[in-house]
Amino acid sequence: MRINDVRQRVTTPLTSPAFPPVVPKFTDREYLNIVYRTDPEALRAVVPEPLEIDEPLVRFEVMKMGDVSGYGPYTEAGQAIPVTFDGERGEYLHAMHLDNFPATASGREVSAYPKTVGAPRLYVDSGALVGTLDYGTLRVATATMGYKHHELDPRTAEEQITVPTFMLKTIPGYDGTPRVQELVRTEITDLVVKAAYTGPARLQLFQHVLAPLADLPVLEVVAASHILTDLTLAPVKPVFDYLKGARS
């Protein structure tokens, strides 16, 4: 394989790449979102500067991807933390667990999504929308929400989903020190809200050393939503370089 051919490849193995070179488009992406109040000191211990925290809130999410170009269906769960950067409100993605290797590899390598393994599920059980996350054989999170109790204004649902997203991109060098270490920003585009609901909700988090979601404990459930959408993820852009100590 010639040098120019190698340069055209975005991932390895060269002859069977870990993920396709596509911009993923999501059809029938279903969300269960539960926003809860947590310990402010626990938040400060995990949110990197120069991001700033206003209220001690966390959004636990389970997302069932009905159809994703290049990856097929999969489910994902994790935590997002409301933050501000240079006066702009957004969310810092703290943890993401999913059951699809190409989507995991692409999210980490091409972008900066903090994706790792997990076994999330989203389903309806006896009048409740249920979202769970297992790591291996152990339960990490169980979320329940009344199924379609109240319709949610589509504009409110859109505002919940389209806030800017901040992530930490770290790539180690061969000597073990960071070769790239940046705060990056992305957002959702081409959003179509097909359905949106709210209702009562509960959330339980369980201790696990490799999936420490419970390090941000649930003190009070603030809000919940169930949303069905089509959307596209925009490419990431660096906004702060930790190695240079400067904004990009």
Side-chain angles (χ1 to χ4, degrees), residues 130-147:
V130 180
T132 63
L133 173 61
D134 294 343
Y135 194 99
T137 62
L138 298 179
R139 178 58 45 89
V140 175
T142 299
T144 55
M145 173 182 166
Y147 185 67

Side-chain angles (χ1 to χ4, degrees), residues 46 48 50 101 108 147 162 181 187 206 228 243:
V46 299
F101 175 73
R108 292 175 67 99
Y147 185 67
T162 56
Q181 195 164 60
E187 59 190 355
F206 305 94
L228 183 66
L243 301 183

Side-chain angles (χ1 to χ4, degrees), residues 133-211:
L133 173 61
D134 294 343
Y135 194 99
T137 62
L138 298 179
R139 178 58 45 89
V140 175
T142 299
T144 55
M145 173 182 166
Y147 185 67
K148 296 186 177 181
H149 279 204
H150 308 287
E151 289 193 3
L152 183 66
D153 186 333
R155 291 171 295 182
T156 301
E158 183 175 340
E159 290 172 0
Q160 290 182 13
I161 294 174
T162 56
V163 296
T165 298
F166 298 96
M167 300 169 287
L168 183 62
K169 175 81 167 186
T170 297
I171 301 175
Y174 298 110
D175 61 355
T177 61
R179 188 174 181 178
V180 174
Q181 195 164 60
E182 298 173 329
L183 185 70
V184 303
R185 179 192 182 280
T186 187
E187 59 190 355
I188 284 172
T189 63
D190 305 326
L191 177 69
V192 177
V193 175
K194 294 181 171 180
Y197 301 90
T198 187
R202 300 290 187 273
L203 175 62
Q204 292 176 287
L205 301 178
F206 305 94
Q207 298 285 351
H208 194 299
V209 66
L210 299 182

Side-chain angles (χ1 to χ4, degrees), residues 33-56:
N33 298 306
I34 297 184
V35 178
Y36 69 90
R37 196 174 307 279
T38 192
D39 179 356
E41 294 303 319
L43 271 189
R44 294 188 185 100
V46 299
V47 175
E49 294 180 332
L51 298 176
E52 299 178 352
I53 303 167
D54 290 331
E55 290 188 77

Side-chain angles (χ1 to χ4, degrees), residues 117-128:
V117 297
R121 291 186 64 203
L122 184 62
Y123 59 97
V124 179
D125 184 2
S126 299

